[in-house]
Amino acid sequence: MLRAALLAISLSAAPAAFAACLTLASHPEGRTLASVALPPNNPTFALTYVHSVTRTPVFEQYRVDGGDLVETQIRFEQHGPGLPTEADAGGSFTRVDGNFVVTMDRHFPRIVMQVHADQTPRLVENGHATNLARWGNRALVLAAVVGACSGS
């Protein structure tokens, strides 16, 4: 089911103009590791990983709104530490095909995350998945800026 959800967010080929540039950097050093251009018609991406305690897949859906990263949904099979147990105001908490599905509108200026290869962390955008552990087991920071990536 999680793989089907990943396919559902696949985006069409990006046009010449971009809505935002996602940047992935080492933390706390701030060295840019990757930049990803998101199209203006659907500036969305997902973070996927295996939960460190339940060892089950977690799928987090985001969109870029200006310079904010907005978490719009989280989908998971089993409750575990750090996962929501109820909906935020204006959100929903449901069960769909054996998964908990929580909708939300959480805004972040950046996301700092600890990645580990055992959790198979991925950034999924434009139908492409990037292995976030490719730079080692470490802290990373994800942010967005309006417009094209440098060199785009």
Side-chain angles (χ1 to χ4, degrees), residues 14-147:
F18 299 99
C21 180
L22 287 179
T23 60
L24 190 62
S26 60
H27 185 73
E29 305 84 9
R31 182 174 46 92
T32 300
L33 302 171
S35 296
V36 177
L38 297 178
N41 61 333
N42 193 7
T44 62
F45 66 95
L47 294 174
T48 67
Y49 53 93
V50 173
H51 193 276
S52 62
V53 175
T54 66
R55 304 302 301 158
T56 58
V58 177
F59 171 86
E60 299 181 6
Q61 176 92 29
Y62 294 84
R63 77 174 188 283
V64 175
D65 183 5
D68 280 353
L69 304 173
V70 182
E71 187 174 18
T72 58
Q73 183 184 91
I74 186 168
R75 183 181 293 256
F76 52 94
E77 293 176 11
Q78 293 180 6
H79 281 286
L83 296 175
T85 57
E86 63 184 352
D88 294 345
S92 66
F93 192 101
T94 58
R95 293 272 297 180
V96 177
D97 297 328
N99 290 291
F100 295 98
V101 179
V102 185
T103 62
M104 59 198 62
D105 187 41
R106 294 181 178 171
H107 291 247
F108 303 96
R110 64 188 188 136
I111 297 171
V112 177
M113 63 190 108
Q114 183 68 39
V115 300
H116 195 281
D118 289 351
Q119 292 178 276
T120 60
R122 303 284 187 265
L123 169 69
V124 182
E125 45 67 35
N126 291 323
H128 175 75
T130 300
N131 175 1
L132 296 177
R134 69 188 277 184
W135 297 283
N137 299 331
R138 59 169 309 127
L140 300 174
V141 61
L142 182 65
V145 294
V146 177

Side-chain angles (χ1 to χ4, degrees), residues 9-21:
I9 67 152
S10 294
L11 304 174
S12 61
F18 299 99
C21 180

